[in-house]
Amino acid sequence: KAGVIPGIKVDTSTHPLAGCPGEVVTEGLDGLRGRLKEYYQLGARFAKWRAVINIGDDIPTGTCIEANCHALARYASLCQEQGIVPMVEPEVLMDGDHGIDTCYEVTEVVLRSLFGALFDFNVALEGTILKASMVLPGKDCDEKASVEEVAEATLRCLKSAVPASLPGIVFLSGGQSDEQATANLNAMNALGPQPWELSFSYGRALQAPSLKAWKGEEANAQAAQDALAHRARLNGAARSGSYTPDMEKELAAA
C-alpha cells in the first residue's frame, strides 16, 4: 500500500537467563546479519527486538539488564549496517505488586544501560526508535496511580535517561486497558512539546475492542473494522494531546 513502510519483528526467542533465576534474555543474534540483508531485499525498512525485564524479589539483576541491553545494542548496530531502522524495546513488565516508584527506578536503570550500550556499539540514535514502557505500578499493587501521575513519572524518567537526539518514542500498552493506554499517552502530549515525538505502538490496547466486536464471526467483520478504526483515531488524537473521554462514545453514537 502506498505510504506504508514495511517492517519486521526480528526472529528471536526468549529463554531463561542462566545463573539468574526468574529472569530471561532474548536470543537470536547468530546469523542475524544475513537475515537482515534478506529482510532488506524483501522490502523491510525497520525492525523490532523485544527484551523482557521482570520486577520481583531481588530482580532485575544488573546481569539481566546488561545482557538484554547488550543484545539490543548489537541488534541495532546490525540493523543500521544493513540500512534498516532499529526499534529497540526494553519492556519492563507490569506483572507484580510493586509500586510506581519501583517501576520508575527499574525503568531508569534499564534505559541508562540501554543507551550506554547503544553508544558502545556506535548506533546512530538519530536513526533509532525506542519502544518504551510507561512508568506504572504493578497490576497487583493496591495503590493505583492516576493518569497525571503516570504521565509525570514517565516523562521524568525519560528525560533522565533518553538523549534528546533520539527522534521518537513509541509506547507499548503493556497490559493496560485500551482507554487507560490512550489517556496516559494523551496526558504526556498535553504537557507540551518534549525532546522526542511521543506516539504509540500498542498491541492489545489497539486490537482488543476489535476482537471483542468480531467474536470470530464473519457477520461482525464490519463492526470489528469500525472498532479498530475508532481506537486508532482516539490514539491519533492522544498523539496531539487532544483526546477526551467523551470521544469514547462516538462509535456507539455513529
Side-chain angles (χ1 to χ4, degrees), residues 102 162 232:
T102 298
V162 179

Side-chain angles (χ1 to χ4, degrees), residues 1 5 28 63 96 150:
K1 204 179 234 187
I5 301 174
T63 301
V150 171

